Amino acid sequence: MILLMTIIIPGTWGQGSRVYETLTLKSEILKMDRKYAIYLPEGYEQTDRSYPVLYLLHGGGDDQTGWVQFGQVQHIADQTIGEGKAGPMIIVMPDANTGVRGYFNAADGSFEYEDFFFQELIPHIEKTYRVRSERRYRAVAGLSMGGGGTIFYALHHPEMFAAAAPLSAATGNWDMEQLKKRLKDSGSKATGQQIENYYHRHNIESLIKNASEEELKKIKQIRWYISCGDDDFLYEGNSLMHILFHKNEISHEYRVKDGAHTWTYWRDELPIVLEFVAKSFMQH
C-alpha cells in the first residue's frame, strides 16, 4: 500500500493575501450605501501590524471590481511584494460608478462624492482596518477617470498624500466653453457662478496659480508619477500637465510609453506604481 502524505508546514496555511470586492459602508453625505473592494496583503490576518494604504481608483464605466477583475490587482500586488519591489500595503478600490459617475462633487451641489471620499470613506477605512493614518503612509493612484480623481484629490488635499500616480488621466477642464457644453448636455442645473467655481477647482493651471505658498509647498512634497500611452486619446492633457508641472518646478516622473487607453497598458503599469508608492512610504 502506498500512503500519500500531505505535509503542512506550521504557520503557512491560510496566510495568503485576501481580496474582498463587495464591501459596503453607509454614506450620510450621499444618502446611500457605497461599495468598495479591498486588498489585504499576506500576513494581515496573522499579525497586528499596521500597513500603509493605496487608494486605487477605477475608470469610467467600471466600478470597484475593475482593478480586481481586469487589473488583476491581487496577482500583481502579490508578485510585486513577493519579489521585494514593494512592501506590503493595503489597497482600497472604491466604487465611483453608482448614482452619479465620477470622483468629484457635482457642479450644482447635488452629489458630493469628493466630500464622501475624504469625510467618510477614508475615516471608515482607518477605523475598520489596521491602516497607518499619517500622510507619509497614504497614496492615491488611478486610471482614466480615476487618473483625474488622483490628480485633483492630490491637488485639493496635498496634506493627505505622500504619492500620486495618475495613469492615462482625464486631466480635467482646460477650456471653460467645453465645460459649459458638457454640463448642459448632462442636464446639470449649475448656475454660471457654480460653473466658474467648478472650472477653477478642476483646472490644474488655476489650482497651481492660486495655491498659497504653503499649499504649493505641500504639492511639491508629493511624489508624482504620470504615465500615458503614446496612442492614448488623452495624451494631450497629460503632456500639458507635464509641461505645467515642469514650469512650476513640481518634481515628477513623466513617462510616455508604447500603448493606448487599454487594460494591457494599465496592468503593465500597476507593478511600477506599486513600487513607486512603496518607496514613498520608506524612510530616506
Side-chain angles (χ1 to χ4, degrees):
M1 180 183 296
I2 299 175
L3 297 178
L4 299 178
M5 298 179 63
T6 300
I7 300 175
I8 300 177
I9 301 174
T12 62
W13 179 257
Q15 290 189 13
S17 67
R18 295 284 188 272
V19 167
Y20 302 93
E21 66 176 14
T22 55
L23 300 171
T24 61
L25 73 152
K26 184 176 181 61
S27 169
E28 298 296 334
I29 292 174
L30 300 179
K31 303 204 170 26
M32 64 192 308
D33 289 341
R34 300 298 305 190
K35 291 183 179 180
Y36 66 94
I38 194 166
Y39 166 90
L40 301 175
E42 180 178 0
Y44 177 86
E45 296 174 355
Q46 285 74 40
T47 73
D48 63 355
R49 175 184 174 182
S50 294
Y51 295 85
V53 59
L54 168 65
Y55 290 87
L56 187 60
L57 312 182
H58 66 76
D62 285 326
D63 56 23
Q64 80 283 354
T65 67
W67 276 109
V68 178
Q69 179 63 37
F70 307 120
Q72 300 179 6
V73 67
Q74 184 173 19
H75 169 71
I76 291 173
D78 284 350
Q79 186 174 50
T80 307
I81 294 169
E83 292 173 352
K85 295 179 180 178
M89 68 182 75
I90 289 171
I91 304 175
V92 178
M93 295 154 279
D95 170 30
N97 198 48
T98 300
V100 176
R101 179 184 292 183
Y103 293 95
F104 309 135
N105 294 346
D108 60 9
S110 60
F111 198 79
E112 298 180 323
Y113 189 94
E114 185 171 342
D115 289 355
F116 154 76
F117 187 94
F118 286 93
Q119 297 176 29
E120 293 182 325
L121 177 63
I122 289 179
H124 170 79
I125 295 299
E126 294 181 351
K127 179 181 178 181
T128 308
Y129 303 95
R130 297 194 309 277
V131 170
R132 294 187 179 275
S133 59
E134 302 95 325
R135 175 205 190 200
R136 64 187 294 185
Y137 300 119
R138 188 187 299 113
V140 61
L143 66 90
S144 193
M145 180 180 80
T150 298
I151 293 166
F152 291 102
Y153 280 6
L155 292 177
H156 292 167
H157 306 273
E159 76 285 353
M160 293 290 289
F161 300 106
L167 307 176
S168 311
T171 55
N173 306 299
W174 296 94
D175 182 273
M176 176 75 82
E177 294 306 314
Q178 288 180 356
L179 172 63
K180 288 179 179 178
K181 182 179 186 306
R182 180 167 62 83
L183 290 175
K184 181 180 179 180
D185 291 345
S186 70
S188 173
K189 297 179 181 180
T191 65
Q193 186 60 57
Q194 286 176 320
I195 292 173
E196 184 175 346
N197 293 343
Y198 186 91
Y199 173 80
H200 289 297
R201 185 163 174 78
H202 301 89
N203 175 271
I204 302 172
E205 191 171 19
S206 292
L207 287 169
I208 293 174
K209 178 182 178 180
N210 297 325
S212 67
E213 184 176 335
E214 182 62 26
E215 288 170 336
L216 190 57
K217 178 181 178 182
K218 290 177 181 177
I219 291 170
K220 291 182 177 182
Q221 288 173 343
I222 296 172
R223 297 185 71 245
W224 291 89
Y225 177 83
I226 303 165
S227 176
C228 190
D230 56 0
D231 293 320
D232 196 304
F233 70 96
L234 293 175
Y235 78 93
E236 184 176 1
N238 285 263
S239 300
L240 290 172
M241 180 178 175
H242 159 60
I243 293 168
L244 186 62
F245 271 28
H246 185 73
K247 286 182 177 179
N248 287 274
E249 299 181 337
I250 299 173
S251 180
H252 61 289
E253 292 190 23
Y254 175 59
R255 301 290 179 265
V256 178
K257 302 179 181 180
D258 181 37
H261 206 75
T262 66
W263 274 108
T264 299
Y265 189 87
W266 303 320
R267 280 191 297 268
D268 287 345
E269 284 295 280
L270 183 55
I272 300 170
V273 168
L274 295 178
E275 183 176 358
F276 180 84
V277 301
K279 289 178 180 177
S280 306
F281 303 145
M282 299 294 288
Q283 181 73 49
H284 297 288

